[in-house]
């Protein structure tokens, strides 16, 4: 953001006014606070001492102490036993509700004393009748006592909080009022200190500031290298040559060429003496024969002839010669000229090469009391820009061309300003305010150094970050490779297992097929078969079974029950099916035997007694023989329990 | 078949101070107790060796008790089909076992105490209905022998087809009752009331069990249940359930009446 001193002065006024307003507001607030703090403190004290007055937002379990009807009064022990199942947990209820304001204005201070109507928060695991769940009801202390069985204690308990509030409110009022007054005083002091600091900064010469501009700071001191002649000619506010604010004039506070604070050419801090800065003999110094250097002109400072340097392309766009009135561009508010190059003074625009042009100052914008002008200049191939805070004096143009004081220039807004030092130093003999230019060069050089350092640091940081990122990426790649290797290994194992299982299934299928084709079913476990049975029974009954079993069973079963119980088959042992089938055959044999036995028995009976007897029922269809249970066994009846024993006893 | 909430509840445990017990075990224990009632009724006569009581009560007590056990055995599968509650499945094996035990006890006592001529064989197979009953008992022996987990593992996939022999017993039981009771129309002018005859009682109970085992019916029930129309299933099954309960109630009444009489009445003296 660009701020001119004029605008800064406006900003200072604004800040000063704002500081006054804030200080006044604080003082008035403190006064009102002191007057208001008494009742407010009392109210806050009452709120702070009644935690139950503001209902908690958390949902809890609570219990409302009922009115005692008959029997003993309600106690915390009873409530704990009723809601928690343990009388010893009354202490938890007591701790939860200790000091809580209750509806009758009292508080739970003694676990042996609770009043009906009190709202007691319970632990989370409380349950049972009377246990409510929700937000704890807001307690509004009532002036009247809900329970009258303890009037004296209740009256004392109800009066105590009010007296406490009153006493606490007075003390709090003093404390709060004093704190606010101190706060207002501190604010006023801060505002005044800011104001004084701002005034001191404005009084202090710009070149005495030792702080080098940072990379993001605007260059607030430097050289005004050109002034718009239009403004100088027309604006009466533009300082004249004898204006005390002009550098190099009559103002003694500004460092001139003979000022003791000004470092001379032989000063160690002078750019020419600094080996780090490009001097006149430096290869990078643009000489007169440099393609970017202004062409010779009688009115223009002449430099030492130099060898031809590398030719550089100049930026495109229109260019105007500041020294040429015909080429001057009329100032226009809000218009900013594009950057250009230094040009030879007085040379017509069409006759000089583009690289030798320089830009005149133009009115950038109008803000505040002063017209701000942007001056675009170029040094070598690096254009930069300065802004004037005041319209330049009319006499500056011819005398210096860079006649603005260091105070009047505001800002450089482009980079690579350090290159301005060299061409300006070459022209130092013709410029009165070369000290400003030199300071600008110094500042720009420092800024360049700092920028370079920052660039190096940023480069180092970027390199470190890149190295870290590359390392992390390498680790991630290694992990991914490890995971991939593990997955491939697992997949290989699964494939191997599948192949093994498939092979086993194939063997099982072959074995089953072979077993089905075998002539006889196994009577023992399959392990004993291969060594014994094949040697003894190959020719026993080979022809009868294979034609029946293998052809019918394997084709029928898979077609009928493909999805019924697929999991049971692979897990069974090779001889399981044969064993099961043998068991089935055994069961069938048993059933057949049982059935045969019944048939034989029936046939025998029919043969012995005839079919009519076999189906004849003498008692008729639907009747069973007399059960023999005579209904004469009741009490007193002949066959009653014990009657036979009594008859037997009477027998001789 | 998805697991019902009742099944899930049954899988949980009852917690006592001495330990836990599965709810299903408790429920099954209670539901298994009725199968012991016929043996309990006849136990007094067996312990006293009272031939009169055994001869007069065993057919009604153990025979009817065996019928009830078989019907309950056959009832479990339709109940699972309709209600989808599988926790009652163990009752099927238990009542099947108790049916066989009751039938064997009936045959054993009948072979000793009844008045049919021909000795033991005459008492067991001297008549057509006796032969049918004897066949039931004989065929129940292999089923009883294989009604356990080792036999189930031994037989594997053949266990279930073997146990389907129970349907044969079911048919033989109806034949047994038909030969025993007849159709009931030639007895007197009007005959006995239909549901006072064991054959019709058995038929009334068998029809619902048979219908609910038909594959189309089972598929229809499954479709309705999948479509969340259980009410339609219950509505359709309700008449069958009423019919079953009607026949079953008469049989239970017969069992209780005769059983209590055999247990409570003093055996007649010689």
């Amino acid at each position: 953001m660009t701020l001119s001193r004029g605008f800064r002065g406006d900003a200072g006024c604004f800040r000063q006014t704002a500081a006054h307003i804030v200080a006044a507001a604080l003082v008035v607030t403190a006064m009102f606070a002191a007057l208001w703090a008494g009742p407010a403190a009392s109210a806050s004290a009452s709120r702070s001492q009644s935690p139950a007055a503001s209902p908690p937002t958390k949902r809890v379990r609570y219990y409302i102490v009922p009115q005692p009807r008959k029997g003993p009064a309600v106690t915390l022990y009873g409530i704990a036993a009723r809601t928690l199942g343990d009388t010893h947990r009354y202490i938890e209820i007591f701790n939860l509700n200790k000091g809580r304001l209750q509806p009758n204005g009292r508080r739970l201070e003694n676990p042996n004393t609770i009043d009906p109507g009190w709202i007691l928060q319970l632990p989370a695991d409380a349950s049972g009748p009377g246990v409510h769940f929700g937000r704890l009801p807001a307690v509004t202390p009532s002036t009247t006592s809900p329970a009258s069985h303890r009037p004296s204690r209740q009256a004392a308990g109800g009066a105590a909080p009010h007296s406490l509030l009153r006493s606490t409110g007075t003390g709090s009022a003093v404390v709060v009022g004093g704190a606010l007054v101190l706060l207002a005083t501190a604010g006023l002091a801060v505002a005044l200190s800011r104001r004084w600091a701002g005034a001191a900064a404005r009084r202090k010469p710009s070149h005495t500031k030792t702080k080098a501009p940072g990379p993001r700071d605007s260059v607030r001191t430097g050289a005004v290298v050109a002034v718009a002649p239009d403004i100088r000619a027309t604006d009466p506010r533009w300082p004249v040559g004898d204006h005390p604010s002009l550098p190099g004039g009559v103002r003694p506070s500004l460092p001139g060429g003979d000022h003791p604070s000004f470092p001379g050419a032989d000063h160690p801090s002078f750019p020419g003496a600094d080996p780090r800065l490009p001097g006149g003999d430096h290869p990078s110094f643009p000489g007169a024969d440099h393609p970017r250097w202004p062409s010779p002109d009688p009115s223009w400072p002449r430099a030492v002839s130099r060898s031809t340097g590398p030719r550089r392309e100049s930026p495109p766009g229109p260019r105007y010669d500041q020294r040429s009135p015909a080429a001057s561009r009329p100032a226009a508010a809000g218009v900013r000229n594009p950057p250009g190059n230094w040009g030879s003074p007085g040379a017509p625009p069409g006759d000089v090469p583009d690289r030798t042009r320089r830009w005149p100052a133009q009115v950038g914008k109008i803000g505040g009391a002063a017209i701000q002008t942007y001056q675009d200049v170029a040094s070598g191939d690096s254009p930069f820009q300065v802004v004037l805070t005041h319209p330049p004096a009319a006499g500056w143009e011819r005398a210096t061309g860079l006649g603005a004081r260091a105070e009047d220039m505001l800002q450089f807004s482009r980079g690579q300003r350090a290159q301005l030092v060299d061409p300006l130093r070459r022209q130092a003999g013709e410029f009165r305010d070369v000290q400003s230019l030199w300071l600008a060069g110094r500042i720009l050089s420092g800024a360049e150094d700092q920028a370079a350092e920052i660039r190096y640091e940023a480069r180092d940081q970027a390199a470190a970050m890149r190295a870290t990122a590359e390392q992390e990426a390498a680790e991630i790649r290694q992990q991914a490779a490890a995971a991939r290797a593990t997955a491939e290994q697992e997949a290989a194992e699964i494939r191997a297992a599948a192949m093994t299982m498939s092979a086993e299934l194939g063997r099982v299928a072959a074995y089953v097929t072979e077993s089905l084709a075998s002539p006889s079913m196994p009577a023992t476990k399959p392990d004993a078969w291969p060594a014994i049975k094949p040697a003894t029974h190959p020719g026993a009954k080979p022809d009868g079974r294979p034609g029946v079993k293998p052809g019918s069973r394997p084709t029928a079963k898979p077609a009928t029950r493909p999805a019924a119980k697929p999991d049971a088959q692979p897990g069974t042992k090779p001889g399981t099916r044969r064993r099961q089938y043998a068991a089935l055959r055994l069961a069938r044999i048993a059933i057949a035997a049982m059935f045969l036995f019944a048939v034989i028995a029936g046939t025998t009976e029919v043969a012995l007694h005839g079919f009519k007897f076999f189906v004849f029922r003498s008692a008729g269809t639907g009747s069973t023989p007399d059960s023999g249970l005579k209904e004469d066994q009741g009490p007193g009846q002949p066959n009653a329990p014990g009657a036979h024993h009594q008859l037997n006893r009477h027998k001789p | 078949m998805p697991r019902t909430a009742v099944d899930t509840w049954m899988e949980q445990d009852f917690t006592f101070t001495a330990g836990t017990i599965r709810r299903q075990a408790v429920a099954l224990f209670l539901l298994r107790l009725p199968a012991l009632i016929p043996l309990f009724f006849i136990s007094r006569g067996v312990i006293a060796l009272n031939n009169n009581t055994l001869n007069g009560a065993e057919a009604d007590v153990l025979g009817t008790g065996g019928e009830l056990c078989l019907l309950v055995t056959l009832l479990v599968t339709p109940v699972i089909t309709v209600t989808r509650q599988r926790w009652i499945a163990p009752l099927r094996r238990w009542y099947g076992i108790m049916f066989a035990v009751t039938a064997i006890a009936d045959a054993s006592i009948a072979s000793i105490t009844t008045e049919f001529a021909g000795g033991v064989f005459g008492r067991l197979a001297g008549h057509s209905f006796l032969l049918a009953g004897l066949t039931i008992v004989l065929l129940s022996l292999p089923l009883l022998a294989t009604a356990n987990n080792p036999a189930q593992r031994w037989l594997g996939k053949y266990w279930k087809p073997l146990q389907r022999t129970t349907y044969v017993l079911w048919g033989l039981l109806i034949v047994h009752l038909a030969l025993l009771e007849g159709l009931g129309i030639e007895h007197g002018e009007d005959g006995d009331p239909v549901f006072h005859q064991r054959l019709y009682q058995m038929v009334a109970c068998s029809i619902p069990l048979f219908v609910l085992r038909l594959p189309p019916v089972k598929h229809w029930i499954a479709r309705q249940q999948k479509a969340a129309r259980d009410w339609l299933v219950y509505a359709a099954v309700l008449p069958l359930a009423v019919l079953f309960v009607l026949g079953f109630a008469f049989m239970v009444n017969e069992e209780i009446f005769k059983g209590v009489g055999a247990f409570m009445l003093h055996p007649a003296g010689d």
Side-chain angles (χ1 to χ4, degrees):
Chain A
M1 180 177 179
T2 300
L3 281 178
S4 67
R5 277 184 56 181
F7 183 74
R8 197 187 316 166
D10 294 341
C13 294
F14 174 74
R15 290 174 181 172
Q16 180 179 357
T17 306
H20 291 167
I21 294 173
V22 170
L26 289 174
V27 171
V28 172
T29 304
M31 294 174 61
F32 276 101
L35 296 175
W36 170 79
S42 300
S44 62
S46 64
R47 284 194 297 271
S48 63
Q49 292 195 1
S50 59
S54 58
T57 58
K58 186 174 64 177
R59 295 168 66 85
V60 298
R61 299 183 186 280
Y62 60 92
Y63 184 85
I64 301 176
V65 180
Q67 291 284 348
R69 296 179 178 177
K70 293 181 179 178
V74 181
T75 61
L76 280 185
Y77 313 102
I79 295 173
R82 192 176 304 128
T83 61
L84 300 174
D86 187 2
T87 58
H88 298 289
R89 296 184 64 183
Y90 77 92
I91 193 65
E92 299 180 19
I93 304 176
F94 176 70
N95 292 331
L96 284 174
N97 300 275
K98 184 178 181 181
R100 183 186 301 280
L101 183 63
Q102 296 296 337
N104 61 355
R106 299 187 57 206
R107 301 174 189 280
L108 179 61
E109 301 295 346
N110 187 354
N112 296 318
T113 305
I114 59 174
D115 292 339
W118 280 16
I119 301 171
L120 301 177
Q121 183 179 348
L122 300 177
D125 58 340
S127 62
V131 177
H132 304 275
F133 181 70
R135 293 182 175 85
L136 207 60
V139 175
T140 302
S142 59
T143 55
T144 59
S145 172
S148 59
H149 61 285
R150 293 167 184 165
S152 60
R153 295 181 58 182
Q154 187 173 17
H162 293 290
S163 61
L164 181 62
L165 292 181
R166 280 196 293 272
S167 61
T168 306
T170 305
S172 300
V174 174
V175 173
V176 174
L180 290 176
V181 169
L182 289 177
L183 182 63
T185 306
L188 186 59
V190 170
L192 291 176
S193 64
R194 283 176 174 270
R195 181 184 178 188
W196 293 337
R202 286 194 295 273
R203 287 194 300 271
K204 189 176 182 180
S206 59
H207 70 278
T208 59
K209 296 179 180 177
T210 57
K211 179 183 178 183
R216 299 192 58 168
D217 293 338
S218 299
V219 180
R220 297 184 184 279
T221 60
V224 176
V225 297
V227 179
D230 300 332
I231 300 175
R232 281 174 284 173
T234 56
D235 194 343
R237 292 175 297 176
W238 193 264
V240 293
D242 55 352
H243 195 275
S245 63
L246 287 178
V250 295
R251 190 172 184 182
S253 62
L254 292 178
D258 52 351
H259 196 276
S261 64
F262 181 73
D266 54 349
H267 195 274
S269 63
F270 194 77
D274 192 349
R276 295 177 301 174
L277 293 176
D281 52 351
H282 195 275
S284 65
F285 186 79
D289 50 353
H290 194 276
R292 306 295 299 273
W293 190 250
S295 58
D297 189 273
S299 61
W300 191 252
R302 190 56 228 164
V304 180
S305 178
R306 290 285 179 177
S307 60
T308 302
R311 184 182 182 87
R312 299 179 183 178
E313 295 296 331
S314 59
R319 294 178 173 85
Y320 301 93
D321 191 349
Q322 182 190 12
R323 300 302 179 102
S324 174
S328 298
R329 187 178 181 182
V335 177
R336 178 181 173 187
N337 289 332
N341 295 332
W342 285 94
S344 57
D351 297 337
V352 295
D354 290 340
R355 64 180 183 272
T356 61
R357 299 296 173 81
R358 77 184 293 190
W359 295 101
Q362 298 294 332
V363 176
K365 63 179 181 179
I366 299 175
I371 298 176
Q372 300 178 19
T373 59
Y374 292 90
Q375 179 66 28
D376 293 310
V377 295
S379 173
D381 57 349
S382 300
F384 63 95
Q385 186 180 74
V386 295
V387 178
L388 300 180
T389 59
H390 301 288
W396 288 2
E397 179 185 5
R398 184 176 177 279
T400 64
L402 299 173
R405 298 171 304 168
E407 294 176 339
D408 296 330
M409 58 87 197
L410 180 62
Q411 181 181 15
F412 292 94
S413 59
R414 299 292 176 90
Q416 300 178 354
R417 299 174 182 86
Q419 298 184 17
L420 177 64
V421 174
D422 294 336
L424 293 180
R425 195 181 62 166
R426 293 171 62 89
Q427 305 169 24
E430 297 183 16
F431 296 151
R432 292 179 59 188
D433 287 339
V434 68
Q435 72 278 9
S436 301
L437 302 177
W438 179 82
L439 287 176
R442 294 290 297 173
I443 294 169
L444 292 174
S445 299
E448 286 293 332
D449 293 341
Q450 290 186 354
E453 292 178 357
I454 292 171
R455 280 198 299 272
Y456 291 147
E457 292 178 359
R459 191 178 305 168
D460 294 340
Q461 292 179 357
M465 293 173 63
R466 182 177 179 182
T468 306
E470 288 179 351
Q471 184 178 0
E472 292 179 352
E475 292 177 355
I476 293 173
R477 281 196 296 271
Q478 290 179 356
Q479 293 177 356
R484 182 178 180 181
T486 305
E488 289 179 351
Q489 184 178 0
E490 292 179 352
E493 292 177 354
I494 292 173
R495 279 196 298 271
M499 294 295 293
T500 305
M501 187 179 298
S502 176
E504 290 180 355
L505 288 176
R507 287 195 297 270
V508 168
Y511 184 78
V512 169
T513 304
E514 184 181 358
S515 300
L516 291 176
S518 63
S520 60
M521 301 304 293
T524 60
K525 291 184 178 180
D527 298 337
W529 270 63
I532 302 173
K533 294 297 181 181
T536 55
H537 292 281
K541 296 179 180 178
D543 299 331
R545 305 302 290 269
V548 181
K549 292 294 181 181
S552 60
R553 299 185 67 84
T555 55
K557 290 297 180 182
T560 53
R561 293 182 180 180
K565 289 182 178 179
D567 298 334
Q569 296 296 334
T572 56
K573 295 180 180 179
T576 301
R577 185 175 178 183
R578 190 190 310 176
R579 186 202 64 203
Q580 293 173 354
Y581 188 72
L584 177 64
R585 286 210 309 169
L586 185 60
R588 286 176 177 175
I589 291 172
I591 292 174
M594 296 296 108
F595 187 76
L596 185 60
F597 179 81
V599 170
I600 291 173
T603 305
T604 304
E605 291 297 323
V606 171
L608 291 176
H609 306 287
F611 185 75
K612 289 185 179 180
F613 177 78
F614 187 71
V615 299
F616 175 73
R617 294 297 308 275
S618 61
T621 304
S623 79
T624 53
D626 187 8
S627 62
L629 299 176
K630 300 176 182 178
E631 301 296 336
D632 57 353
Q633 299 176 346
Q637 294 181 345
N639 286 328
H644 299 282
H645 302 287
Q646 294 176 357
L647 291 177
N648 293 334
R649 278 202 304 270
H650 291 293
K651 287 183 179 179
Chain B
M1 182 178 292
R3 186 177 298 276
T4 63
V6 179
D7 288 328
T8 305
W9 188 84
M10 285 292 179
E11 289 178 352
Q12 299 174 0
D13 294 335
F14 285 122
T15 302
F16 302 99
T17 55
T20 59
I21 186 170
R22 202 174 182 185
R23 292 172 177 171
Q24 184 184 10
V26 176
L28 291 178
F29 174 78
L30 296 176
L31 290 174
R32 281 167 176 162
L33 291 180
L36 301 174
I37 291 177
L39 298 178
F40 174 75
F41 283 152
I42 206 68
S43 62
R44 186 172 181 180
V46 173
I47 293 172
L49 295 177
N50 191 315
N51 181 63
N52 193 21
T53 301
L54 295 177
N55 184 30
E58 59 87 16
D60 294 322
V61 175
L62 294 181
T64 305
E67 292 176 22
L68 292 174
C69 288
L70 182 62
L71 289 176
V72 173
T73 302
L74 298 172
L75 178 65
V76 171
T77 298
V79 169
I80 293 176
T81 302
V82 174
T83 64
R84 292 183 289 183
Q85 296 184 15
R86 300 194 59 82
W87 65 274
I88 61 173
L91 293 176
R92 182 167 45 201
R93 176 180 295 183
W94 169 254
Y95 275 93
I97 292 172
M98 292 311 299
F99 158 72
V101 170
T102 306
I104 293 170
D106 186 11
S108 301
I109 295 173
S111 66
I112 299 172
T113 61
T114 56
E115 298 174 348
F116 278 91
V120 174
F121 280 98
R123 299 187 189 101
L124 290 177
H127 200 273
S128 54
F129 79 93
L130 290 178
L131 182 62
L134 176 65
T135 306
I136 292 171
V137 172
L138 292 175
L139 293 182
S140 66
L141 292 176
L143 301 183
L144 177 63
T146 57
N148 51 76
N149 290 333
Q152 191 173 2
R153 287 192 295 269
W154 182 49
L155 285 165
K157 67 176 183 179
Y158 301 112
W159 181 84
K160 195 168 185 179
L162 179 65
Q163 293 294 323
R164 287 202 176 102
T165 311
T166 308
Y167 296 143
V168 178
L169 304 184
W170 185 11
L172 286 175
L173 182 58
I174 296 175
V175 173
H176 171 73
L177 295 176
L179 294 175
L180 176 64
E181 305 282 342
L183 299 177
I185 55 176
E186 68 272 17
H187 184 62
E189 296 181 355
D190 299 330
D192 292 334
V194 173
F195 282 106
H196 286 188
Q197 301 181 41
R198 295 183 180 88
L199 175 63
Y200 296 116
Q201 295 169 2
M202 188 67 188
V203 171
C205 292
S206 298
I207 289 175
L209 302 181
F210 178 76
V211 171
L212 292 176
R213 278 180 164 79
L214 295 175
V217 177
K218 293 169 65 177
H219 295 164
W220 179 84
I221 291 174
R223 286 198 304 270
Q224 302 307 320
Q225 289 173 344
K226 187 176 294 184
R229 288 193 289 265
D230 291 349
W231 62 270
L232 185 58
V233 174
Y234 289 124
V237 171
L238 184 60
L240 299 175
V242 170
L243 182 61
F244 179 85
V245 169
L246 187 62
F248 199 77
F250 277 96
M251 298 173 73
V252 170
N253 178 67
E254 175 79 7
E255 175 69 22
I256 293 174
F257 179 75
K258 295 293 179 63
V260 170
F263 188 83
M264 297 298 294
L265 294 181
H266 193 277
D270 293 335

